[in-house]
Structures are given as C-alpha cells and as structure tokens.
Amino acid sequence: MKHGLSQAGKRLAEAKSDEELFLAFLSLGDREALEGLIARQLSFAYRVAFSVCGDRVLAEEAVQECFLILAGRPGSFADRGTGSFRRWFCTVLLNKSRQLRRSKRRARRLLEDAAQEDRRFRREGIVAQGESCPSERTEEHERLAAAIGELEEELRVPLILHFQQACSQQEIASHLNISQSLVSRRITQALELLKRRLVAGGLPILAPALLAALQHPDLLPVPQALVVELPKL
C-alpha cells in the first residue's frame, strides 16, 4: 500500500516528543520533523476539528489550514508561551474550526467532490497507518457518527477527545480551559443524548456496546486525502 507520510517521518514521530519535533522544524527547517508532527497529530487534529464542525469537509479544511500555518509560519507557534505543543495546537485548531463553522463557506459541490476524492484514494489503496479500509466501517458506525455530529459542540468535543483520542478528563479540561467536573458532566450528558437519539432512530444499543463503538477506530477515520496531501505542504 502507498502512504502519504514518509517512513522517516513516521520513525521520528515514534522516537521524539512533540516539542523536539517542533524545535527541529523551527530552528533547522527539518522537513522530516514536520512530517513527524503531522504523523503524530493528524488523527487528533481531524477528530478535534470534526468535533467542532460536525462536518467532514469543514473539519478537513480546518486541519489543512492549521498545518499550513504550522508549515508556513512556525514562529506563530513558537510564541505560545508556556504549555505543551499539543495544547497550543489544539487551541489554534479549535479557533480555526469555529471560524470555518461560522463562515459556512462550504457548498454541496465541495461535499460531493471531497467524497469522490476520498473514494478514489481508497480505490488506489492509499490507507492511513492505523486506519481500516471502508469495508470495516459498519452501518452502526455511520449512524453513530451522524448522531454525534448532531450534538452541540460543547458536548461533541469532550466526547470525541475522550473516546476517540483516549484523552483523560483532566487533559480535556486543560485543552478546553474548563473544570474537570464540567468535562465529566458533559461526557455523561452526551452519552445520554446519544442513547436516546439512537433508540429514537431505530438503533437500540446497550451502554457497553455504545462505549465500545465510540472507541472503535473506524468511527471517525481520517480522510485519505489528508493523509496524502498534508506531507506535500
């Protein structure tokens, strides 16, 4: 299979911390370090963006624009002050996602073009490392993802970060600058709403099955167009 990210970039992502990769790119212009950051942050970035936008195309655009900022103006990240690279990256990504959601610039044509492009990449066998082929994505995943997309942003974001990215409630609280107890309440509320809406939509699902489905990697797979195009920045 073909992959968009180089093996060197993937190896760096496994061997170095976010801060080490970022400093290597910022100070030395190391492209492999940038690829390492993309490899490490791509899944996180897409799922955060989707959790805000509730729309795959807008989420894809938010991720692209955020990585373009990182590639073209890394100094804007260098001035972040204290805190981890991921926390700052998450802040930039949340702001960009909200900006795109408010603007509502995406038309139906772009939705269709993006879906067609994603199908083409998959037909050609370009699959992200750690992602599954579309045949493994079930109708249950499709309906659950749609139900998640209908949640309010304040419920979607902690839900996806917790179950799809395995972030602790404390980490989510830090990313969103809210209390851990509020994160816990929002996750609980999101789960209750999801169960009610799935039942109302004819998909009764028990709590253990819902939790397992929320953690499944095929629930929100990263679009293959991103996997291929981002390393070309």
Side-chain angles (χ1 to χ4, degrees), residues 25 31 34-35 38 63-72 226 228-233:
F25 175 62
R31 295 291 300 183
L34 176 61
E35 284 198 13
I38 292 173
V63 172
Q64 288 176 325
E65 291 197 15
C66 212
F67 277 116
L68 279 170
I69 293 171
L70 177 60
L226 282 178
V228 174
E229 297 299 328
L230 280 178
K232 300 176 183 177
L233 294 177

Side-chain angles (χ1 to χ4, degrees), residues 6-148:
S6 71
Q7 292 301 317
K10 292 173 187 173
R11 285 195 297 271
L12 275 176
E14 295 169 357
K16 294 181 178 293
S17 69
D18 292 343
E19 296 294 332
E20 289 172 327
L21 290 169
F22 175 68
L23 291 175
F25 175 62
L26 177 66
S27 58
L28 304 175
D30 187 337
R31 295 291 300 183
E32 289 182 354
L34 176 61
E35 284 198 13
L37 274 175
I38 292 173
R40 179 173 292 168
Q41 303 296 338
L42 180 53
S43 175
F44 171 80
Y46 175 72
R47 285 163 180 157
V48 168
F50 179 83
S51 73
V52 173
C53 299
D55 179 283
R56 296 180 186 280
V57 175
L58 284 177
E60 201 171 327
E61 183 174 351
V63 172
Q64 288 176 325
E65 291 197 15
C66 212
F67 277 116
L68 279 170
I69 293 171
L70 177 60
R73 293 186 282 121
S76 61
F77 284 83
D79 297 331
R80 65 190 185 281
T82 59
S84 69
F85 172 84
R86 173 169 279 198
R87 181 179 179 183
W88 186 254
F89 183 78
C90 184
T91 299
V92 174
L93 184 60
L94 287 169
N95 290 338
K96 178 59 66 176
S97 299
R98 287 165 180 152
Q99 177 187 345
L100 287 175
R101 184 196 60 196
R102 286 193 298 265
S103 70
K104 298 181 181 179
R105 292 180 296 178
R106 299 296 87 185
R108 175 64 63 182
R109 180 181 60 82
L110 291 182
L111 284 167
E112 294 171 351
D113 289 349
Q116 183 177 359
E117 184 179 25
D118 196 53
R119 287 193 295 270
R120 180 176 67 81
F121 280 127
R122 290 184 180 275
R123 282 199 305 271
E124 294 173 357
I126 304 171
V127 179
Q129 187 178 34
E131 299 287 347
S132 303
C133 293
S135 59
E136 297 180 36
R137 184 174 164 85
T138 66
E139 180 184 355
E140 180 185 86
H141 294 144
E142 295 285 355
R143 294 174 70 176
L144 179 55
I148 291 171

